[in-house]
Amino acid sequence: MNPLIITAALVGAEVSREDTPHLPVTPEEIGESAAQAREAGASIAHIHVRDKAGRPSQDRELYRQAIREIRKRCDIIIQVSTGGAVGMTAEERLQPVTLQPEMATLTTGTVNFADGVFYNPPGDIRRFAKEMRHYGVKPEFEIFDVGMVGTAKHLVEKGWVTGPLHFDFVMGVPGGIPAGGKHLLHLIDQLPEGSTWSVAGIGRYQLPMSALGIALGGHVRVGLEDNLYYRKGELATNTQLVARVQRIASELERKTAVPEEARSILGLPSLKEVR
Ligand code: KMH
Ligand code: ZN
């Protein structure tokens, strides 16, 4: 099987330090958490940033600092969020794309998100895709429900996104597609030939969905953005969550990709060419 890409979703926007003391919030903490996740087997760091009060932010300068802190320490692929937090405007959310990170998320539809609405109307989706193309940023399609795959394919048909395509199925958000094997197989079925995919299970679904992703030849996203617990009642660190996936993959005879291998699988240029 192809080497496994583990994405570490280190921060997120919905979790706070009150929920867990292990959440990285400052640029230095995000840099340190990314380096530890890389050491444990992650090849992509999916990041959000926080302001001084720990609130979710999409501030370009904060992203610049976080990216610098990560790069000081390691070669992990840096993927910024353009989802931000529920309620943010498109302008706010797009800020980190202008820093030309290697990757950014692109959600291709609106979805209820617990008590809020994660708003992604067609005009915004097109705008996000075009900005990413303009700045040379590879999108990761963030799929919270089945219809979003069709919208992603439409962007490709129009030429606003070009391959190779990468999808992340976020499963188990209240309001989105439930986490489960049948739903995952259905999502995989919708993908254009040659696409790569990863799966992120929310909360207690993180572990079983990771195991399915490994076994089915896909890739896996874990981290505190999606799940706070190692097991019931026991808070996790990002490193522990990544290391567990690495161990399961190893038991299943699936090698874990280092960042340069992940770049090659995803069709990204080598870091040496970027630097
Ligand atoms: N915080 C969610 C509303 C992304 O990073 O692109 C959206 C999100 C997805 O986290
Ligand atoms: Zn995110």
Side-chain angles (χ1 to χ4, degrees):
M1 255 191 212
N2 57 338
L4 174 72
I5 299 172
I6 304 175
T7 298
L10 302 169
V11 191
E14 286 75 33
V15 180
S16 75
R17 264 280 168 75
E18 280 77 59
D19 299 317
T20 174
H22 304 304
L23 188 75
V25 289
T26 67
E28 291 77 12
E29 288 168 354
I30 293 169
E32 199 46 46
S33 191
Q36 285 170 12
R38 174 8 178 153
E39 221 28 59
S43 43
I44 302 179
H46 167 73
I47 59 166
H48 293 239
V49 293
R50 300 300 177 97
D51 67 14
K52 284 213 160 26
R55 289 176 304 230
S57 167
Q58 286 292 104
D59 182 73
R60 182 185 147 99
E61 284 316 307
L62 286 171
Y63 269 102
R64 193 198 299 280
Q65 290 167 27
I67 290 169
R68 192 188 309 126
E69 293 299 326
I70 296 172
R71 257 312 153 263
K72 263 205 290 210
R73 293 169 171 85
C74 69
D75 61 349
I76 199 164
I77 296 168
I78 300 174
Q79 179 192 87
V80 301
S81 171
T82 68
V86 163
M88 287 180 174
T89 64
E91 283 73 27
E92 257 180 299
R93 288 165 52 185
L94 272 168
Q95 291 178 72
V97 172
T98 62
L99 298 169
Q100 300 186 281
E102 293 179 276
M103 294 182 82
T105 51
L106 173 55
T107 300
T108 45
T110 295
V111 62
N112 286 345
F113 201 93
D115 288 335
V117 179
F118 182 30
Y119 190 60
N120 296 290
D124 285 0
I125 297 169
R126 280 196 291 275
R127 180 174 167 196
F128 279 41
K130 287 177 182 174
E131 286 279 294
M132 288 183 205
R133 193 178 56 170
H134 176 76
Y135 286 103
V137 179
K138 181 182 171 85
E140 171 180 281
F141 290 117
E142 224 54 22
I143 303 299
F144 291 80
D145 218 334
V146 191
M148 294 189 190
V149 180
T151 305
K153 288 198 267 198
H154 179 71
L155 296 176
V156 177
E157 280 157 20
K158 288 284 179 192
W160 294 320
V161 175
T162 48
L165 309 175
H166 184 59
F167 292 78
D168 180 45
F169 304 129
V170 185
M171 305 183 73
V173 168
I177 192 164
K182 278 188 184 169
H183 293 304
L184 178 58
L185 292 175
H186 181 56
L187 285 167
I188 297 166
D189 239 21
Q190 313 300 310
L191 296 184
E193 192 70 29
S195 305
T196 51
W197 60 271
S198 64
V199 61
I202 299 300
R204 66 181 186 276
Y205 298 108
Q206 187 167 81
L207 182 56
M209 295 317 291
S210 298
L212 275 175
I214 298 166
L216 291 171
H219 304 284
V220 169
R221 169 173 130 171
V222 289
L224 298 179
E225 171 164 350
D226 301 333
N227 165 43
L228 295 181
Y229 293 95
Y230 193 80
R231 56 175 70 85
K232 197 170 164 54
E234 188 183 323
L235 290 170
T237 64
N238 280 312
T239 314
Q240 286 174 330
L241 295 172
V242 171
R244 177 164 62 181
V245 170
Q246 198 276 336
R247 282 198 308 277
I248 297 169
S250 166
E251 288 294 327
L252 292 171
E253 300 290 342
R254 186 132 181 238
K255 196 178 152 294
T256 305
V258 295
E260 280 298 280
E261 288 171 312
R263 286 186 177 91
S264 156
I265 293 166
L266 296 169
L268 287 167
S270 158
L271 190 57
K272 288 183 213 94
E273 294 163 41
V274 181
R275 270 179 173 159

